[in-house]
Amino acid sequence: MSENKPETTQILSIAEIEAELKYNGIEIIRLISDKGGMADVYEAWQPSVKRRIAAKRLKPHLATDAEVRTRFEEEAMFLGRLNHPNIVQDRKSVV
Protein backbone atom coordinates (compact mmCIF):
# COMPACT_ATOMS: atom_id res chain seq x y z
CA MET A 1 0.00 0.00 0.00
CA SER A 2 1.27 3.47 -0.87
CA GLU A 3 2.19 5.76 2.00
CA ASN A 4 0.04 8.49 0.46
CA LYS A 5 -3.12 6.42 0.16
CA PRO A 6 -5.17 5.69 3.28
CA GLU A 7 -6.54 2.16 3.64
CA THR A 8 -10.11 1.94 2.45
CA THR A 9 -12.47 0.12 4.78
CA GLN A 10 -15.94 -0.86 3.66
CA ILE A 11 -18.48 -0.33 6.40
CA LEU A 12 -21.69 -2.31 6.04
CA SER A 13 -24.87 -1.88 7.99
CA ILE A 14 -26.24 -4.85 9.93
CA ALA A 15 -29.05 -5.05 7.36
CA GLU A 16 -26.51 -5.38 4.51
CA ILE A 17 -24.62 -8.10 6.40
CA GLU A 18 -27.87 -9.94 7.17
CA ALA A 19 -28.86 -9.78 3.48
CA GLU A 20 -25.45 -11.11 2.41
CA LEU A 21 -25.54 -13.98 4.88
CA LYS A 22 -29.17 -14.79 3.99
CA TYR A 23 -28.05 -14.98 0.34
CA ASN A 24 -25.50 -17.59 1.42
CA GLY A 25 -28.24 -19.75 2.96
CA ILE A 26 -28.02 -18.69 6.59
CA GLU A 27 -29.93 -16.29 8.81
CA ILE A 28 -27.94 -14.13 11.21
CA ILE A 29 -29.06 -14.20 14.85
CA ARG A 30 -26.44 -11.96 16.43
CA LEU A 31 -22.85 -10.79 16.22
CA ILE A 32 -20.64 -12.83 18.55
CA SER A 33 -17.37 -10.99 17.91
CA ASP A 34 -15.96 -8.38 15.56
CA LYS A 35 -12.56 -8.37 17.30
CA GLY A 36 -10.82 -10.90 15.04
CA GLY A 37 -8.17 -9.65 12.67
CA MET A 38 -9.51 -11.54 9.68
CA ALA A 39 -13.22 -12.13 10.24
CA ASP A 40 -16.33 -11.39 12.27
CA VAL A 41 -18.18 -14.26 13.92
CA TYR A 42 -21.97 -14.53 14.05
CA GLU A 43 -24.43 -16.87 15.68
CA ALA A 44 -26.67 -17.93 12.83
CA TRP A 45 -29.41 -20.32 11.75
CA GLN A 46 -28.98 -22.69 8.82
CA PRO A 47 -32.54 -23.48 7.68
CA SER A 48 -31.51 -26.17 5.20
CA VAL A 49 -30.47 -28.45 8.08
CA LYS A 50 -32.41 -26.75 10.88
CA ARG A 51 -29.47 -25.98 13.15
CA ARG A 52 -27.66 -23.11 14.85
CA ILE A 53 -24.16 -22.49 13.55
CA ALA A 54 -21.21 -20.17 13.97
CA ALA A 55 -20.72 -18.18 10.76
CA LYS A 56 -17.45 -16.40 10.04
CA ARG A 57 -17.49 -13.53 7.56
CA LEU A 58 -14.20 -12.31 6.12
CA LYS A 59 -13.70 -8.60 6.76
CA PRO A 60 -14.53 -6.67 3.55
CA HIS A 61 -11.16 -4.94 3.24
CA LEU A 62 -9.46 -8.36 3.14
CA ALA A 63 -11.88 -10.08 0.75
CA THR A 64 -10.01 -8.96 -2.38
CA ASP A 65 -6.64 -10.31 -1.19
CA ALA A 66 -6.23 -13.77 -2.78
CA GLU A 67 -3.71 -14.94 -0.16
CA VAL A 68 -5.99 -13.96 2.72
CA ARG A 69 -8.99 -15.62 1.05
CA THR A 70 -6.99 -18.83 0.60
CA ARG A 71 -5.92 -18.84 4.27
CA PHE A 72 -9.52 -18.17 5.33
CA GLU A 73 -10.86 -21.05 3.21
CA GLU A 74 -8.11 -23.42 4.40
CA GLU A 75 -8.91 -22.54 8.02
CA ALA A 76 -12.59 -23.33 7.41
CA MET A 77 -11.73 -26.70 5.87
CA PHE A 78 -9.31 -27.55 8.71
CA LEU A 79 -11.78 -26.58 11.44
CA GLY A 80 -14.51 -28.56 9.69
CA ARG A 81 -12.43 -31.71 10.21
CA LEU A 82 -11.91 -31.21 13.95
CA ASN A 83 -13.93 -33.39 16.26
CA HIS A 84 -13.89 -32.47 19.95
CA PRO A 85 -16.69 -31.85 22.47
CA ASN A 86 -15.41 -28.32 23.19
CA ILE A 87 -15.18 -27.23 19.55
CA VAL A 88 -18.13 -26.01 17.51
CA GLN A 89 -18.24 -28.30 14.48
CA ASP A 90 -20.96 -26.67 12.44
CA ARG A 91 -19.59 -23.61 10.69
CA LYS A 92 -20.15 -21.64 7.57
CA SER A 93 -17.51 -19.26 6.24
CA VAL A 94 -18.54 -16.37 4.06
CA VAL A 95 -16.08 -14.42 1.98
Side-chain angles (χ1 to χ4, degrees), residues 28-89:
I28 189 169
I29 296 171
R30 68 182 177 94
L31 177 67
I32 294 172
S33 174
D34 62 357
K35 304 297 183 208
M38 223 164 80
D40 298 329
V41 180
Y42 297 88
E43 177 183 357
W45 176 253
Q46 190 174 15
S48 62
V49 288
K50 295 180 175 58
R51 65 181 172 191
R52 285 181 30 211
I53 62 168
K56 284 183 77 175
R57 181 182 176 276
L58 189 61
K59 292 190 182 278
H61 68 279
L62 297 174
T64 57
D65 184 320
E67 186 177 324
V68 171
R69 287 175 65 108
T70 298
R71 278 193 358 235
F72 186 72
E73 290 165 359
E74 287 173 350
E75 175 190 289
M77 290 187 316
F78 173 76
L79 290 172
R81 291 191 301 260
L82 292 178
N83 185 9
H84 187 277
N86 295 332
I87 297 174
V88 175
Q89 289 183 295

Side-chain angles (χ1 to χ4, degrees), residues 5-17:
K5 280 176 93 177
E7 182 178 318
T8 303
T9 301
Q10 180 183 5
I11 299 175
L12 299 175
S13 70
I14 192 69
E16 289 171 312
I17 294 169

